Amino acid sequence: MGSNGGQAGTHTYQSLTEDALFGSMEPPRRPTGRLVMHSLAMFGREFCYAVEAAYVTPVLLSVGLPESLYSVVWLLSPILGFLLQPVVGSASDHCQSRWGRRRPYILTLGIMMLLGMALYLNGDAVVSALILNPRRKLVWAISVTMIGVVLFDFAADFIDGPIKAYLFDVCSHRDKERGLHYHALFTGVGGALGYLLGAIDWAHLELGRVLGTEFQVMFFFSALMLTLCFIIHLCSIPEAPLRDVAKDISPQQAPQDPSLSSDRMCKYGSTEKAKNGYVNPELAMQGRKNKSPAEQAQRVMTMKSLLRALVNMPPHYRCLCISHLIGWTAFLSNMLFFTDFMGQIVYRGDPYSAHNSTEFLIYERGVEVGCWGLCINSVFSSLYSYFQKALVPYIGLKGLYFMGYLLFGLGTGFIGLFPNVYSTLVLCTLFGIMSSTLYTVPFNLMAEYHLAEEKERRQAPGWSSDSSGTERGKGVDCATLTCMVQLAQILVGSGLGFLVNTAGSVIVVVITASTVALIGCCFVAVFVRYVG
């Protein structure tokens, strides 16, 4: 990993879809069916997320997790994701697997999600069957359940970046926009079905009696749904592997210059030429000679170089990441505490009363109604994702971004000031607008940035069909954007508990969400760059 571009062993990584070795090419237009298949990963992921949201607190309470460990459970996963996600995003940019660059990471993270669900939904039952000593059983049940929750959260949060980068790699700019809308659509549908599944009283149904408990029923459906969705997703659109161009060039075609012949050039992409193994050796060598040392290699990043790249990222990328952080901080502040808000504030129940008391039963009823509110949020998120495409020509991405933050801020503020069952359920539709906005608009803007940068490279003096400019790694960009979700979780998990304890009421949660969203509304209007 020396500093000279012509040093032996250096690898060059560039997107084949924009690479001059194959001319100015775009990936072929993808059929709607393929984009739908690609989007099913988001359906399976959000379905399992909804099941976790409905059951993880009862599971943790049932195994006897001390309150002092709650913060560890909710903070460990986002901290790991925030630190590791950009590193893995960079690694996926340079992955040389024969199966492609993103799919090996998606498969690994999908297996981790499945394992995490198995541990936190079934860990207590397995430990109870294997260990008889009550004290040891308690320790092992808590440990296994905590590991399962952290593993699932880590993988489920992490997997969004590779999925988005996979879409960006294999689709044209127009198909990227269509694919992102399908992603948001199926995210909402998956969440709605997951919440509906959790609302069913499986303990009194035959399937619940056969499998043992409702936790095992949830695992059965979640594991089945996740496995099917990810198999379909991974078979949706083929990725071409990172190619070693040096192996495609015969000794007679290789240049005599030792510094050039010793270099190994790797290309990646997803077009049919790459998949069929076509490489033009003359253009490969000619393009190599025309490049300056700074353009010849985009090396595999070390942690130090990655941090430097993140710090020195273009200002418009940084502003987009900040706006995404603000949006997710507001959204998670409301969503993570919403059912508790319904139980304590709207229904005036008491979660700390005896479990057979009227106050506790009222609280449980509020939590159930809160789950229906989250289901409304997911359904409306899907509907709004569908209508976004019709709104873009009229108000643009800036209008969508601004409107999503504004409506969410006003809606949560109204809920906090005037808590009422029916108005709160109606305003849950605004949560869906915010959810859909966060899943689509920032990634649409990133696709616009990539397209604009490509056009600038083509219009730059000295650019020719035999040269290709340096390109920001899409994996790093997507990972950097999605790791803002983990940072938002860290801020919410570490800060809101303190605010609730200080205010003495969870009503401060929705007021905080409203305030942060309105601040974000101003930020996206003033600081975020919109292309075109």
Side-chain angles (χ1 to χ4, degrees):
M1 300 226 294
S3 59
N4 295 328
Q7 186 174 342
T10 299
H11 289 258
T12 301
Y13 299 94
Q14 290 171 337
S15 175
L16 188 60
T17 59
E18 298 163 2
D19 200 320
L21 299 182
F22 306 97
S24 177
M25 296 178 59
E26 262 210 349
R29 184 178 177 86
R30 303 299 179 184
T32 299
R34 292 286 180 175
L35 294 177
V36 169
M37 290 171 64
H38 193 279
S39 303
L40 285 179
M42 302 303 294
F43 176 92
R45 169 182 177 264
E46 202 64 23
F47 183 92
C48 296
Y49 250 146
V51 169
E52 186 205 30
Y55 278 91
V56 71
T57 300
V59 169
L60 292 173
L61 290 175
S62 68
V63 299
L65 181 72
E67 291 185 2
S68 59
L69 294 179
Y70 270 29
S71 60
V72 176
V73 174
W74 297 121
L75 289 179
L76 185 58
S77 171
I79 289 173
L80 289 174
F82 178 71
L83 294 176
L84 296 179
Q85 193 155 358
V87 178
V88 175
S90 173
S92 71
D93 280 333
H94 308 119
C95 176
Q96 299 183 49
S97 168
R98 295 180 61 184
W99 205 34
R101 293 184 301 147
R102 316 297 180 187
R103 289 189 291 179
Y105 289 90
I106 295 172
L107 176 62
T108 302
L109 292 167
I111 293 173
M112 290 172 63
M113 287 178 64
L114 195 61
L115 178 60
M117 282 194 305
L119 291 178
Y120 84 78
L121 286 174
N122 302 299
D124 186 34
V126 173
V127 169
S128 298
L130 296 178
I131 299 176
L132 298 178
N133 185 291
R135 185 165 184 174
R136 288 185 60 202
K137 184 173 74 173
L138 176 63
V139 173
W140 276 99
I142 291 175
S143 301
V144 170
T145 305
M146 285 181 62
I147 291 171
V149 172
V150 171
L151 185 63
F152 174 83
D153 276 343
F154 172 80
D157 291 340
F158 219 122
I159 205 168
D160 192 45
I163 289 174
K164 292 295 192 298
Y166 178 17
L167 178 73
F168 283 13
D169 285 344
V170 299
C171 291
S172 64
H173 181 72
R174 184 176 179 182
D175 284 343
K176 291 175 191 175
E177 295 179 342
R178 294 171 60 215
L180 288 172
H181 285 297
Y182 285 126
H183 278 199
L185 175 66
F186 281 96
T187 295
V189 174
L193 290 181
Y195 288 123
L196 286 176
L197 193 71
I200 298 175
D201 185 6
W202 293 102
H204 295 87
L205 297 178
E206 184 63 28
L207 185 60
R209 287 191 288 268
V210 171
L211 295 179
T213 69
E214 58 186 5
F215 295 159
Q216 276 71 58
V217 175
M218 289 298 100
F219 174 72
F220 171 76
F221 282 111
S222 299
L224 180 64
M225 192 67 67
L226 184 70
T227 302
L228 289 176
C229 287
F230 272 79
I231 288 174
I232 295 172
H233 167 77
L234 294 171
C235 298
S236 60
I237 304 174
E239 281 189 289
L242 201 66
R243 297 295 305 273
D244 188 346
V245 179
K247 294 180 181 178
D248 296 311
I249 301 174
S250 64
Q252 293 79 11
Q253 294 170 312
Q256 299 303 314
D257 187 342
S259 66
L260 292 177
S261 60
S262 62
D263 280 347
R264 300 173 65 230
M265 296 181 297
C266 295
K267 309 291 173 186
Y268 65 73
S270 55
T271 63
E272 292 302 315
K273 285 187 178 180
K275 192 171 67 175
N276 296 332
Y278 172 78
V279 175
N280 188 324
E282 294 181 5
L283 285 180
M285 289 298 101
Q286 183 179 359
R288 178 68 175 152
K289 290 177 183 178
N290 290 339
K291 292 176 185 174
S292 66
E295 296 173 330
Q296 286 174 357
Q298 180 184 351
R299 296 174 182 79
V300 179
M301 286 189 175
T302 63
M303 188 65 183
K304 181 179 179 180
S305 61
L306 177 61
L307 291 175
R308 187 185 304 116
L310 295 178
V311 170
N312 297 324
M313 68 193 313
H316 52 282
Y317 281 91
R318 188 180 300 113
C319 288
L320 182 61
C321 287
I322 293 173
S323 69
H324 204 50
L325 172 62
I326 294 173
W328 273 104
T329 301
F331 188 69
L332 291 175
S333 297
N334 180 70
M335 300 303 288
L336 293 180
F337 293 87
F338 181 71
T339 54
D340 189 49
F341 171 81
M342 288 291 290
Q344 290 197 57
I345 303 301
V346 177
Y347 273 79
R348 302 185 184 279
D350 185 1
Y352 302 106
S353 298
H355 284 199
N356 59 352
S357 66
T358 303
E359 291 80 6
F360 184 81
L361 294 177
I362 291 175
Y363 173 80
E364 280 196 326
R365 175 59 182 165
V367 170
E368 291 175 2
V369 174
C371 287
W372 283 106
L374 295 179
C375 182
I376 293 172
N377 150 66
S378 297
V379 170
F380 205 80
S381 176
S382 296
L383 294 175
Y384 182 70
S385 299
Y386 181 79
F387 289 109
Q388 268 187 342
K389 292 184 289 185
L391 291 175
V392 169
Y394 298 100
I395 62 177
L397 291 177
K398 183 175 183 178
L400 286 178
Y401 215 7
F402 180 85
M403 185 173 68
Y405 280 57
L406 178 63
L407 292 178
F408 181 79
L410 295 177
T412 50
F414 188 85
I415 288 172
L417 295 175
F418 308 101
N420 176 272
V421 177
Y422 300 106
S423 63
T424 298
L425 291 178
V426 170
L427 290 171
C428 283
T429 57
L430 302 183
F431 301 170
I433 291 178
M434 183 64 163
S435 173
S436 178
T437 298
L438 291 172
Y439 278 119
T440 55
V441 177
F443 292 97
N444 271 319
L445 287 172
M446 181 166 287
E448 295 278 1
Y449 296 165
H450 289 155
L451 182 64
E453 289 171 358
E454 178 190 352
K455 291 179 179 178
E456 289 175 4
R457 288 197 300 271
R458 295 183 183 281
Q459 295 171 0
W463 187 91
S464 69
S465 61
D466 296 329
S467 63
S468 57
T470 57
E471 176 192 5
R472 291 182 56 81
K474 293 183 177 68
V476 174
D477 285 342
C478 290
T480 304
L481 191 58
T482 54
C483 78
M484 294 299 105
V485 182
Q486 279 82 51
L487 183 55
Q489 286 180 326
I490 295 170
L491 294 176
V492 171
S494 59
L496 274 188
F498 173 77
L499 286 177
V500 171
N501 290 332
T502 302
S505 172
V506 292
I507 200 168
V508 71
V509 170
V510 290
I511 299 300
T512 301
S514 175
T515 303
V516 174
L518 293 175
I519 292 173
C521 180
C522 299
F523 189 90
V524 299
V526 176
F527 295 102
V528 174
R529 173 188 169 189
Y530 301 90
V531 181

